[in-house]
Amino acid sequence: MTDTDRGTQRDRNSAFYLFTQQNLPACKPVLTPEWVFMTFLFIGFIFIPVGLVTLRASHSVVEIVERYDIGCVPEPFRINKVSYIQDDSIPKNCSLSFKVPKYMKAPIYIYYQLDNYYQNHRRYVKSRSDKQLLHGQNQHGISSCQPVEVNNDRPIIPCGLIAWSLFNDTFTFIRNRAELKVNRKNIAWKSDREHKFGKNVYPFNFQNGTLIGGGKLNPRIPLSDQEDLIVWMRTSALPSFRKLYGRIEKDLDVDDVVVVHLMNNYNTYSFGGKKKLVLSTTSWLGGKNDFLGLAYVFIGSSSVTIAVVFTLLHLLSHRH
Amino acid sequence: MTRGRIRARLRLSHLYTFACTRPEATEEGPHSIEGPGYSRIVHCNQPLMHKKKPFKYRSNYISTTKYNLFTFLPKALYEQFHRVANLYFLSAAIVSVTPLSPFSAVSMIAPLVFVVGLSMAKEALEDWRRFMQDIKVNSRKVKFHKEEGVFDYKSWKKLQVGDVVKVEKDQFFPADLLLLSSSYEDGICYVETMNLDGETNLKVKRALEVTLPLDEDASFKNFTGKIKCEDPNPSLYTFIGNFEYDHEIYALDPSQILLRDSKLRNTAFVYGVVIFTGHDSKVMQNATKSPSKRSRIERKMDYIIYVLFSLLLVISLVSSIGFAVKTKFDMPDWWYLQPQNTDDYYDPRKPVLSGVTHLITALMLYGYLIPISLYVSIEVVKVLQATFINQDIQMYDEETGNPAQARTSNLNEELGQVDTILSDKTGTLTCNQMDFLKCSIAGTAYGMSSSEVELAAAQQMASDLEDQDVERSTDFRQKGKQQEIELETVVISEDEMVHKSPIKGFSFEDSRVMEGNWLNEPNADVIMLFFRILAICHTAVPELNEETGSYTYESESPDEAAFLVAAREFGFEFCKRTQSSVFVRERYSASGQTIEREFKLLNMLEFTSKRKRMTVIVRDEDGQILVLCKGADSIIFDRLSKNGRLYEEDTTRHLNEYGEAGLRTLALAYKRLGESEYSAWNNEFQEAKTTIGPDRDLMLENIAEMMERDLILVGATAVEDKLQKGVPQCIDKLAQAGLKIWVLTGDKVETAINIGYACSLLRQGMKQICITEISSDAKEVVKENILLQMTNASQMIKLERDPHAAFALIIDGKTLAYALEDDVKQQFLVLAVQCASVICCRVSPKQKALVTRLVKEGTGKTTLAIGDGANDVGMIKEADIGVGISGVEGMQAVMASDFSIAQFRFLERLLVVHGHWCYKRIAQMVCYFFYKNIAFGLTLFYFEAFAGFSGQSIYDDWYMLLFNVLLTSLPVISLGVFEQDVSSEVCLQFPAVYQQGPKNLFFDWYKILGWMGNGLYSSLIIFFLNIIIFYDQAFREEGQTASMPALGTTMFTCIIWALNCQIAFTMSHFTWIQHLFIWGSIATWYLFLFVYGRLSPSISGNAYQILVEALAPAPIYWLATLLVTIACNLPYLAHISYQRCFHPLDHHIIQEIKYYKKDVEDQRMWTRERSRARERTMIGFSARVDAKIRQLKGKLQRKQPSSEIHSPARSS
């Protein structure tokens, strides 16, 4: 008798017994007025400083944005820009200049920005073959590249719409009549270069068809070194996007005048897309991003407001 | 067998005056049976005749299963795809095989197969159990007449109409039989109809005179006969038919019919002819189909699914129209898509076609709005909840070893929403055991033991007064008042010491009369008379238990047995009954000298429900003729002589006390009769007995009436119909939880009312509304009258001014039959709902089901039916929730039930704890589920607007797949399984918290839409904050901009955080399991991302190295996560803070009290809160105590002016 009693007694304290009887030790936090006040105040006291720090970082970034798609079309062609861009006989070179508004510390990142360009369209996103990019010609499985998979019965490397529509405007920068060297290495993700684009895969049969899309590729350079292509093939999430073009590794001073010589090859005119050239420094946060800081400050201050209003309400209601 | 033989010498029918005496000739002649409804013809002892048409009737095989082997698949599939959601998933699965699908086919089909398969397996298992039960019943054996007077066994299912069967003692009848003869010479037999109507007293059936010679096997050699009778019908108490035998036609009535599923008792054997077999039998006709039950929440979920489906359609339409427009007008300009080289899906020349195909794609892409995983999770959660119910040690009955059992897991949450409980009485509320507890003899009350009701009420009163003293001490200053009230309680609680006597049926305790001490009492002669009445005035038969040498008694009702046991204990042992005498061994003192006395039984006028009394006329050994009578007090008091009213006043007072204590009372009286007086009367009586004609019954009654007159009151008895353990407390708690309790019983009105008192469903001062039928032939008149009674009652309730007034409705089966007719039932329901308690007596199983349906459909609220016997099966099936008591009786009720418990008292825990928890868990879980899928699904839609409505998803396919499977499922399940708003003890202490379920506070449209709105808000915040933050700027110091995978992964991280934090805010109870699941889910996401990123790029694609290389080193990734998580949850947090502090719900207050440990520090406040947290009740002993206190208060106020010193000398 006593043995079994003791046995059940022990069982009753076992974790399994407590579990089946839904009696496991538990913490039961309760949102008492004090906790509410403390929580909201705490959120406020974290968010406002973070927001301010973020804003400061964002303000430290210097950014120059120059739109060039209209300016680079000669006056007579402005009525029909599409025919201008599609006519190979017309030279596409163009230049623009701007003044540096603030001291820019190296590295200065150069971006091109396209608007109204649906790199995230399902047809576009799917039209690539990761296998081919890594392993090259002897691999099958390029059916996903429709409608740009073969030309003259021979596979295209790299296949697919994305590669076919490669961005091909080029920029050279001149300051004080001296060319600013643009470093175009290491603009793509390291993992992409090393693991997703083959070192032994060379462009083949590319842009040879009747339809010429975007830029051409040097067939002697393996895909893993074609960083423009690698950057381009990281499709953007939104129809307006920036992509890294290169880096200027020299500081630019205030009031420096920079002249850009560019080849305006890429057709955004048929769908009314804008093209912009962007020079920007970065902070620990990345580019210029006031929104994040503002959002933090906003959330933080509304949280503090809630805490105060809540306390007032609480005190008032207790007086009754 | 031998016992049967001995008794077979008795012609018991000679004892009876009313029930069993039969006119010598058929006075009415055969029924005229013509026309529709009377087509059945049975050729007795010629089963071969019934092999072919037109006499081929249904076989005796019964099946209670829903499906059979062939119908299972189509029927069960139909049931499954009856659910809207399943139908939608089915179509989605079909489409997923085509190239239109944005996802792989397996990811659509597998979960569907899982959900449907699981539910179907559950159905199959339940049906299999029923099937096994059927097999057991069908293969029971019975003796039947084979040929040439030889009887042999065959299984029930092979029995045929026309077969002659022999049923032996304590066997069930295999079909509806015509009784031909029994082991008693006069062809009577006793039948227990427990399974039909729940009544436990034995019923007497008698055979026709003509068939009496057929009382041994051999006599059936050449027996033939023909029965013409009514067609199968469910009425248990009627039967019309004619029996053609030996070229004569005899009328048959219900007293010759033995019904299937009733039991032969006290009779060695009977012979009978099978009339109705299998599903034609009355009990099977009473059976209702087992419906598939779905809980209220689940049904409402269908509507939510409709809402979501419309939302899905709308956004899919928007999406496809957008796509068509974009394709037609913009796409020709998008040279980078090569619009001239497209297939149909993207062809700008066919925008309508591409729009239509896109619609299908969109429907599947946004399918996350309608979560199939919800159904999977709910199934899993419910099974786990059911396991907890099964495991609950506090619902485990140690005596029988039966745990509570959730037999289906569909209805767990429905337990938390019950509004009305419909309860059976016998076996459910009571043990069906009578205990002789008290008596009043010659105006003196004997018996010290207290009834359970008294004990329970005393306890309640003591604790309640404590509370109220605390409050009152501020209001009133006079101490005297409190003393007065305290005194009242002391009187009751004095008796709290209970020594349960080990003798079954006898809990009496009083040394003044026990052990022969009654001889020293002042009225010893009256006391002796009292005991003699107990020992003589009955219809029972003694049986010697050879092992113990004592007698046990087989009686028609358990009361009689209790009386005989009591008489035995007092020293008046009834030991033998012969045809004309009753022998009693009388022992006058403790010394143990016994004298066996013989009382010659001259006449017996037995008990009927109409007469409500029983009388025997005996001649004792001195030749003195005595009339001994027992009966309902009102009846007896009307029949007392002038000098017989000596003790009337005291006895009445005692009877009231007994009634208040929930005891069944009878008054005993006697008179002495002169020889000539008797013989004059007897002549008249014998004459009446042999009269032929319709007036005979009336005449007999009148003559009996003459004898039962001028009686002398001896005393009264009080018998406790033993309630099951904890029943009054349980009913009180349930009443405090705001539940309405209706008692539906097959028992007599008086019994039911007594039990009503015992359970505190009725109390003194409650106004009883009895609806009865007037005896009239015209149906319309009866109905009219019943309507009038109901109108009057409603009027009375309306005019009642006293806020504490409570009404009780009492109605019997016959009246109920009218009240349940279509044109009356609404009025009946309205009346019944206004009454605090409703008691329906003498109701058939079918009526129980009908009443249940009326309440269920009429009030639209959740009903729970609880019962233990086969007669409760109908209502158990009909109610929203059926609960079976897995006690001693057969398993039919349990088989039909959704939950089974061993004792009624476990119902409290089942509802108030498990029901409450399960309701809240499921409600919150479902709400959260919709929230989470809206929050996630809509981000997909917003992205569409930015991707030319092309059907591209911003998330990796794997994220989407794992979202419901791994990343958010476990926290939801832990919410659904482990959440406790308040602990189980608190649930029981604050029964009013239960009302959150019936009021549906957690699953009303306000709540649901609130959650959906929250989901919408979260989706907007998650999507747009991320979009703006990652719009076009570099997100790292190294200057890279965010690509689609980076943005998608960040957004998904935000979703995981926001949703899991949301569920953490929703929960109020964290064990390590919840912590593990919630924070583990978040950790799993990072772990998954890490591992997925490490896999070869051919598997991980764009997500290759995304966490390690791209996101983790970027502070903006972490900052965005924090920002979005807080921004998503801030409004919810503000909302619940506001609600808690300014509009708190019950459980909020309790949680807060518990949190501050006020229950320990401030006992007073705790108890005050407790008494406040009761629903205002009219029933239960709390209400009784309240009423008593009000009464006392009233008394005090009246006493106040005189300002006398109250003398505390009150002892009795």
Side-chain angles (χ1 to χ4, degrees), chain A residues 34-281:
Chain A
E34 295 84 57
W35 266 106
V36 172
F37 182 69
M38 297 297 282
T39 313
F40 282 108
L41 217 57
F42 180 74
I43 293 174
F45 283 153
I46 295 291
F47 269 52
I48 294 174
V50 169
L52 293 176
V53 171
T54 316
L55 270 180
R56 198 164 154 248
S58 172
H59 280 297
S60 72
V61 172
V62 185
E63 188 184 68
I64 300 162
V65 182
E66 290 290 327
R67 180 174 173 184
Y68 66 88
D69 56 322
I70 296 173
C72 279
V73 180
E75 205 64 57
F77 294 103
R78 293 224 172 139
I79 310 141
N80 192 347
K81 297 181 204 113
V82 179
S83 66
Y84 156 79
I85 200 81
Q86 282 174 343
D87 191 342
D88 287 343
S89 57
I90 305 166
K92 298 294 185 327
N93 55 345
C94 161
S95 62
L96 50 121
S97 66
F98 50 84
K99 214 188 217 176
V100 177
K102 248 177 158 180
Y103 171 71
M104 293 171 85
K105 194 175 168 359
I108 298 156
Y109 295 94
I110 304 161
Y111 303 92
Y112 54 90
Q113 176 169 350
L114 300 180
D115 282 339
N116 199 18
Y117 190 104
Y118 286 88
Q119 249 205 333
N120 55 11
H121 197 280
R122 185 149 78 111
R123 178 174 163 83
Y124 190 80
V125 172
K126 297 256 183 300
S127 185
R128 64 187 287 165
S129 166
D130 284 338
K131 268 188 189 158
Q132 190 204 46
L133 292 174
L134 187 58
H135 301 291
Q137 200 164 7
N138 43 5
Q139 282 293 321
H140 292 284
I142 54 168
S143 59
S144 61
C145 284
Q146 268 185 330
V148 193
E149 66 264 46
V150 286
N151 186 27
N152 298 329
D153 294 334
R154 306 182 69 178
I156 299 167
I157 301 177
C159 69
L161 283 172
I162 310 179
W164 176 75
S165 59
L166 175 66
F167 183 76
N168 59 351
D169 286 5
T170 57
F171 311 95
T172 46
F173 296 84
I174 291 156
R175 179 179 64 168
N176 301 336
R177 292 168 201 280
E179 189 180 331
L180 277 169
K181 202 165 172 297
V182 175
N183 183 354
R184 306 206 49 206
K185 286 285 151 201
N186 292 335
I187 52 173
W189 295 105
K190 192 163 159 254
S191 62
D192 278 2
R193 277 181 278 138
E194 291 177 356
H195 301 286
K196 290 176 83 174
F197 290 80
K199 287 193 174 53
N200 303 315
V201 182
Y202 294 89
F204 175 78
N205 201 14
F206 188 68
Q207 300 287 25
N208 270 352
T210 44
L211 272 174
I212 306 294
K216 294 196 161 65
L217 293 172
N218 185 344
R220 277 176 293 282
I221 302 175
L223 290 187
S224 60
D225 289 339
Q226 307 261 14
E227 292 204 36
D228 277 335
L229 178 74
I230 299 175
V231 169
W232 180 253
M233 291 202 62
R234 276 264 169 193
T235 52
S236 72
L238 299 167
S240 169
F241 57 88
R242 284 179 191 178
K243 283 187 183 293
L244 199 52
Y245 180 81
R247 279 188 303 274
I248 298 172
E249 284 167 335
K250 278 185 185 150
D251 297 355
L252 292 181
D253 285 325
V254 186
D255 294 341
D256 273 356
V257 175
V258 178
V259 178
V260 187
H261 292 294
L262 55 87
M263 294 297 289
N264 183 17
N265 295 325
Y266 202 70
N267 177 11
T268 58
Y269 301 104
S270 24
F271 50 88
K274 295 174 200 158
K275 290 198 281 193
K276 287 173 192 164
L277 175 68
V278 180
L279 272 75
S280 171
T281 60

Side-chain angles (χ1 to χ4, degrees), chain B residues 831-857:
Chain B
L831 174 64
V833 166
Q834 285 171 323
C835 293
S837 44
V838 178
I839 296 177
C840 304
C841 327
R842 298 214 76 87
V843 287
S844 68
K846 191 101 188 178
Q847 279 180 325
K848 284 189 181 185
L850 286 176
V851 171
T852 311
R853 183 183 300 164
L854 178 67
V855 180
K856 186 174 82 174
E857 286 169 1

Side-chain angles (χ1 to χ4, degrees), chain B residues 186-382:
Chain B
D186 48 357
I188 70 161
C189 72
Y190 293 94
V191 170
E192 186 191 271
T193 52
M194 182 79 187
N195 279 343
L196 299 176
D197 53 17
E199 267 190 70
T200 47
N201 53 342
L202 304 181
K203 303 223 167 61
V204 184
K205 300 275 178 177
R206 65 182 161 92
L208 288 177
E209 196 83 9
V210 284
T211 55
L212 288 184
L214 301 163
D215 61 351
E216 53 187 22
D217 291 3
S219 57
F220 286 96
K221 208 166 155 184
N222 298 315
F223 165 71
T224 55
K226 198 165 133 190
I227 300 167
K228 264 187 162 176
C229 66
E230 60 185 18
D231 289 340
N233 66 65
S235 167
L236 291 176
Y237 304 113
T238 63
F239 178 82
I240 293 175
N242 282 336
F243 180 52
E244 198 182 319
Y245 181 60
D246 265 354
H247 314 294
E248 290 264 4
I249 296 178
Y250 307 91
L252 299 176
D253 57 61
S255 62
Q256 284 105 37
I257 303 301
L258 308 171
L259 298 177
R260 185 190 169 114
D261 273 359
S262 49
K263 209 179 196 176
L264 185 65
R265 296 298 298 272
N266 286 8
T267 314
F269 60 85
V270 295
Y271 290 103
V273 179
V274 177
I275 302 177
F276 296 122
T277 44
H279 288 277
D280 286 343
S281 60
K282 301 233 178 209
V283 66
M284 293 310 285
Q285 293 274 319
N286 260 299
T288 31
K289 286 222 158 159
S290 21
S292 317
K293 292 181 186 174
R294 295 182 63 200
S295 73
R296 210 156 276 259
I297 287 190
E298 222 173 292
R299 274 176 276 158
K300 196 162 192 174
M301 243 164 65
D302 275 355
Y303 289 105
I304 303 176
I305 296 285
Y306 289 133
V307 171
L308 286 182
F309 194 74
S310 328
L311 180 69
L312 173 65
L313 270 182
V314 168
I315 66 173
S316 297
L317 272 174
V318 169
S319 182
S320 64
I321 291 170
F323 180 68
V325 169
K326 283 264 179 197
T327 307
K328 182 163 164 58
F329 297 107
D330 291 349
M331 197 158 142
D333 297 333
W334 296 343
W335 59 267
Y336 50 89
L337 293 179
Q338 293 203 355
Q340 63 279 26
N341 276 344
T342 57
D343 40 19
D344 286 344
Y345 300 146
Y346 299 103
D347 196 338
R349 282 156 297 184
K350 301 176 189 161
V352 177
L353 180 66
S354 53
V356 170
T357 51
H358 185 79
L359 182 64
I360 296 167
T361 312
L363 282 175
M364 298 186 66
L365 180 66
Y366 308 135
Y368 280 88
L369 288 176
I370 300 178
I372 190 166
S373 54
L374 170 62
Y375 288 88
V376 181
S377 312
I378 284 188
E379 291 285 321
V380 171
V381 162
K382 285 187 171 178

Side-chain angles (χ1 to χ4, degrees), chain A residues 22 34 63 111 118 191 296, chain B residues 336 921 1033 1039 1109 1119 1156:
Chain A
Q22 311 192 51
E34 295 84 57
E63 188 184 68
Y111 303 92
Y118 286 88
S191 62
Y296 260 94
Chain B
Y336 50 89
R921 287 167 178 174
Q1033 285 292 348
E1109 190 185 19
L1119 284 176
Y1156 286 123

Side-chain angles (χ1 to χ4, degrees), chain B residues 599-638:
Chain B
F599 292 90
K600 284 231 158 30
L601 201 58
L602 302 174
N603 297 89
M604 167 142 67
L605 309 165
E606 84 276 12
F607 193 92
T608 67
S609 57
K610 206 169 151 200
R611 284 162 39 80
K612 293 184 183 165
R613 61 187 182 270
M614 170 178 185
T615 307
V616 291
I617 305 172
V618 293
R619 189 196 302 272
D620 69 7
E621 287 176 330
D622 307 329
Q624 175 75 54
I625 297 177
L626 288 170
V627 177
L628 307 178
C629 180
K630 68 174 183 193
D633 41 11
S634 58
I635 305 275
I636 299 287
F637 285 178
D638 284 347

Side-chain angles (χ1 to χ4, degrees), chain B residues 935-1035:
Chain B
F936 176 62
L938 285 182
T939 59
L940 288 167
F941 172 62
Y942 304 144
F943 182 70
E944 283 309 275
F946 288 85
F949 295 108
S950 59
Q952 176 61 35
S953 137
I954 192 171
Y955 311 114
D956 193 283
D957 276 3
W958 274 97
Y959 302 170
M960 311 239 281
L961 201 72
L962 290 181
F963 173 73
N964 275 327
V965 177
L966 188 68
L967 299 172
T968 55
S969 60
L970 287 179
V972 190
I973 289 177
S974 75
L975 174 73
V977 179
F978 303 114
E979 169 68 3
Q980 298 177 9
D981 54 345
V982 287
S983 67
S984 56
E985 294 82 40
V986 177
C987 281
L988 294 171
Q989 283 170 349
F990 292 80
V993 177
Y994 181 80
Q995 275 300 313
Q996 293 181 343
K999 286 185 187 143
N1000 203 7
L1001 290 184
F1002 288 84
F1003 208 63
D1004 53 358
W1005 282 107
Y1006 175 75
K1007 228 17 183 226
I1008 295 164
L1009 293 177
W1011 273 103
M1012 287 185 171
N1014 193 11
L1016 178 70
Y1017 165 79
S1018 293
S1019 68
L1020 287 169
I1021 290 288
I1022 291 167
F1023 185 77
F1024 286 101
L1025 285 189
N1026 274 303
I1027 288 290
I1028 298 170
I1029 291 169
F1030 289 90
Y1031 179 48
D1032 55 4
Q1033 285 292 348
F1035 72 105

